């Protein structure tokens, strides 16, 4: 919310004991097959994790009609992070998936190709033939990028997340560059609390979002000048 990433909230959602999703979906048929990344017969406690892998998508607006040049260096550094998943964005009437940059140009894929859905095979393997773009990567000038984007990151472990936080904090020290979003440890006081949203402490995150954006209680009056 408000270009702010709250580390406390992310840790609350990611740090809990859970059985790896899909661990029993495809039982191993042979002894040499892996059981969701673990050898068949591994103790159940070995499959418990203290961190749920995190996919973090941060929607941003980096200008009014054009991208503000002050954000460009920060954007480039995001591509260089090992946790980077790229950027969702584009230009008017064109949506692209940006995976990197060369000089002042962005490298992007155009995933708008209908392909068959893949079904798991009997041995639990999922073919990935349709997971790839059929066209080679293209380039476009960073200056042509629409200012509305979403940057993506993947933190498989808590160590990955802590490392990402350190890198983001270093970005704020770049000379001549503006941070694209703010990273804070605790939820700022100006964020709406559960009491303000008429929610109970055990309300789900979906309930919180739905109530936050609910406008049924708002009254509008049209003023004639």
């Amino acid at each position: 919310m408000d270009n702010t990433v709250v580390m406390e909230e992310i840790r609350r959602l990611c740090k809990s004991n859970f059985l790896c999703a899909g661990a029993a979906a495809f039982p191993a048929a042979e002894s040499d097959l892996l059981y969701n990344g673990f050898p068949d017969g591994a103790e159940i406690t070995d499959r418990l994790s203290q961190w749920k892998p995190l996919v973090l998508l941060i929607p941003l607006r980096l200008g009014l009609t054009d991208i503000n040049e002050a954000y460009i260096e920060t954007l480039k550094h995001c591509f260089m992070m090992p946790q980077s998943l790229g950027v969702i964005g584009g230009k008017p009437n064109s949506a692209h998936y940006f995976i990197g940059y060369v000089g002042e140009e962005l490298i992007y894929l155009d995933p708008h190709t209908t392909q068959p859905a893949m079904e798991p095979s009997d041995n639990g393997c999922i073919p990935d033939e349709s997971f790839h773009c059929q066209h080679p990567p293209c380039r476009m000038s960073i200056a042509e990028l629409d200012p509305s984007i979403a940057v993506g990151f993947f933190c498989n472990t808590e160590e990955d997340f802590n490392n990402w936080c350190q890198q983001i904090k270093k970005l704020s020290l770049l000379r001549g560059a503006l941070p694209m979003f703010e990273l804070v440890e605790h939820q700022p006081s100006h964020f709406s609390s559960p009491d303000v949203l008429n929610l109970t402490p055990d309300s789900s995150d979906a309930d919180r979002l739905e109530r936050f954006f609910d406008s049924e209680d708002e009254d509008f009056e049209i003023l004639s000048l």
Side-chain angles (χ1 to χ4, degrees), residues 17-51:
N17 288 332
F18 78 110
L19 184 63
C20 295
F26 308 110
E30 301 178 12
S31 59
D32 59 342
L33 291 179
L34 295 182
Y35 192 69
N36 194 40
F38 292 89
D40 186 24
E43 293 295 329
I44 193 70
T45 53
D46 293 338
R47 299 171 198 156
L48 292 174
S49 173
Q50 296 294 325
W51 178 268

Side-chain angles (χ1 to χ4, degrees), residues 126-142:
I126 301 178
D128 65 353
E129 287 84 359
S130 74
F131 293 5
H132 306 280
C133 290
Q134 298 178 354
H135 307 289
C138 302
R139 297 186 189 184
M140 63 171 276
S141 171
I142 298 180

Side-chain angles (χ1 to χ4, degrees), residues 1-107:
M1 307 287 297
D2 297 332
N3 291 2
T4 303
V5 176
V6 183
M7 293 182 283
E8 179 184 54
E9 286 293 296
I10 291 178
R11 291 192 175 96
R12 178 180 66 83
L13 292 171
C14 291
K15 292 186 68 173
S16 61
N17 288 332
F18 78 110
L19 184 63
C20 295
F26 308 110
E30 301 178 12
S31 59
D32 59 342
L33 291 179
L34 295 182
Y35 192 69
N36 194 40
F38 292 89
D40 186 24
E43 293 295 329
I44 193 70
T45 53
D46 293 338
R47 299 171 198 156
L48 292 174
S49 173
Q50 296 294 325
W51 178 268
K52 297 179 183 178
L54 169 70
V55 172
L56 181 62
L57 300 177
I58 309 174
L60 303 167
R61 187 168 185 86
L62 306 181
L64 295 177
T65 57
D66 301 302
I67 185 171
N68 189 326
E69 293 183 359
Y71 293 114
I72 290 179
E73 286 303 314
T74 309
L75 179 62
K76 288 180 177 179
H77 277 75
C78 286
F79 284 115
M80 292 187 283
M81 296 181 183
Q83 296 87 353
S84 175
L85 288 179
V87 172
I88 304 169
K91 51 187 177 182
N93 302 317
S94 298
H96 301 308
Y97 172 44
F98 298 95
I99 58 176
Y101 76 95
V102 175
E104 299 304 314
E105 292 184 317
L106 294 174
I107 303 172

